[in-house]
Amino acid sequence: SAVISQKPSRDICQRGTSLTIQCQVDSQVTMMFWYRQQPGQSLTLIATANQGSEATYESGFVIDKFPISRPNLTFSTLTVSNMSPEDSSIYLCSVEAGVVRETQYFGPGTRLLVL
Amino acid sequence: DAKTTQPTSMDCAEGRAANLPCNHSTISGNEYVYWYRQIHSQGPQYIIHGLKNNETNEMASLIITEDRKSSTLILPHATLRDTAVYYCIVSRLFGGYNKLIFGAGTRLAVHP
């Protein structure tokens, strides 16, 4: 498995501003993922971040709104840009780790409230 | 990607076995069944996964039917700490990684 931390754990932001969320893992991993969980909903994949290449975004998510960096094999950031109240969600990162079959392990999440 | 169908909610008495069903009738031959759970206000926790054989680990057992169209997650002795939303996910390798599509899951309530 892998131990994943996220910063900040929670934040309250004003609309129109941006927030950068950090994800740190305790071992080198190739694939990192970012998810969004809106209030009362399940998780939705935002994008996949492979070190050394541009992030791959899922349908409905664009780089201008959710820019992602992946500078090395243990770290990634997700920025939520020009926020609106609809961006209030839990944002989670995950990594793939495993021996026989890659399994995703999740961080604790960042709880974002946009006023 | 194959979809899954799970009951919206289930109850279980503490100390009893919790059997959580999942239907994945459109699963294809190279797709795995994964189970995760999400305890309130935490990130999802990996439980177990399997392809066609039954699997067991320290947390749970996974029983997959012979035709692979359904599976059951078994928590052998449920405790209050097992109260969570349980997600059954059918996953396949996609562009070199394991793509997880989360459904609504089953909300399991374990009561004394």
Side-chain angles (χ1 to χ4, degrees):
Chain A
S1 65
V3 178
I4 304 160
S5 60
Q6 288 184 232
K7 289 182 181 180
S9 59
R10 61 180 66 239
D11 208 340
I12 301 174
C13 300
Q14 297 298 318
R15 67 174 68 204
T17 63
S18 298
L19 176 71
T20 296
I21 302 167
Q22 300 178 7
C23 179
Q24 179 78 51
V25 62
D26 68 341
S27 57
Q28 293 184 341
V29 295
T30 302
M31 303 299 296
M32 297 182 79
F33 307 85
W34 287 97
Y35 290 81
R36 180 177 73 182
Q37 188 171 27
Q38 294 177 299
Q41 303 296 312
S42 185
L43 282 75
T44 301
L45 180 64
I46 297 172
T48 303
N50 192 351
Q51 195 272 335
S53 61
E54 293 292 321
T56 302
Y57 289 81
E58 295 295 303
S59 175
F61 297 96
V62 295
I63 188 172
D64 289 346
K65 176 67 176 178
F66 298 101
I68 289 170
S69 77
R70 184 75 204 277
N72 58 50
L73 291 173
T74 63
F75 188 78
S76 178
T77 67
L78 169 76
T79 298
V80 186
S81 302
N82 189 24
M83 289 184 286
S84 67
E86 292 71 35
D87 294 319
S88 297
S89 297
I90 300 173
Y91 292 86
L92 300 116
C93 72
S94 71
V95 304
E96 271 203 338
V99 177
V100 177
R101 167 80 176 185
E102 296 290 357
T103 298
Q104 284 189 35
Y105 297 91
F106 287 79
T110 295
R111 285 149 189 78
L112 172 61
L113 176 63
V114 184
L115 302 178
Chain B
D1 295 320
K3 288 190 173 181
T4 62
T5 304
Q6 299 178 252
T8 302
S9 63
M10 293 182 65
D11 287 325
C12 180
E14 190 176 20
R16 305 296 294 270
N19 298 283
L20 290 86
C22 179
N23 182 286
H24 32 79
S25 58
T26 60
I27 193 170
S28 58
N30 62 349
E31 291 180 321
Y32 282 68
V33 179
Y34 278 78
W35 283 84
Y36 283 78
R37 72 181 182 184
Q38 188 173 26
I39 297 170
H40 182 62
S41 297
Q42 298 182 21
Q45 178 188 23
Y46 165 77
I47 301 173
I48 199 167
H49 72 276
L51 182 62
K52 52 186 175 181
N53 297 322
N54 297 337
E55 302 288 344
T56 296
N57 62 20
E58 64 279 2
M59 288 183 66
S61 295
L62 174 60
I63 307 299
I64 302 174
T65 58
E66 191 169 345
D67 62 8
R68 301 186 71 235
K69 292 185 177 181
S70 65
S71 62
T72 301
L73 178 74
I74 301 172
L75 307 178
H77 305 288
T79 71
L80 298 178
R81 288 174 295 180
D82 293 320
T83 293
V85 177
Y86 286 77
Y87 297 101
C88 169
I89 301 165
V90 171
S91 171
R92 63 178 173 90
L93 287 177
F94 182 87
Y97 68 92
N98 199 20
K99 189 168 186 176
L100 302 181
I101 306 295
F102 284 79
T106 295
R107 188 171 298 275
L108 175 69
V110 181
H111 53 84

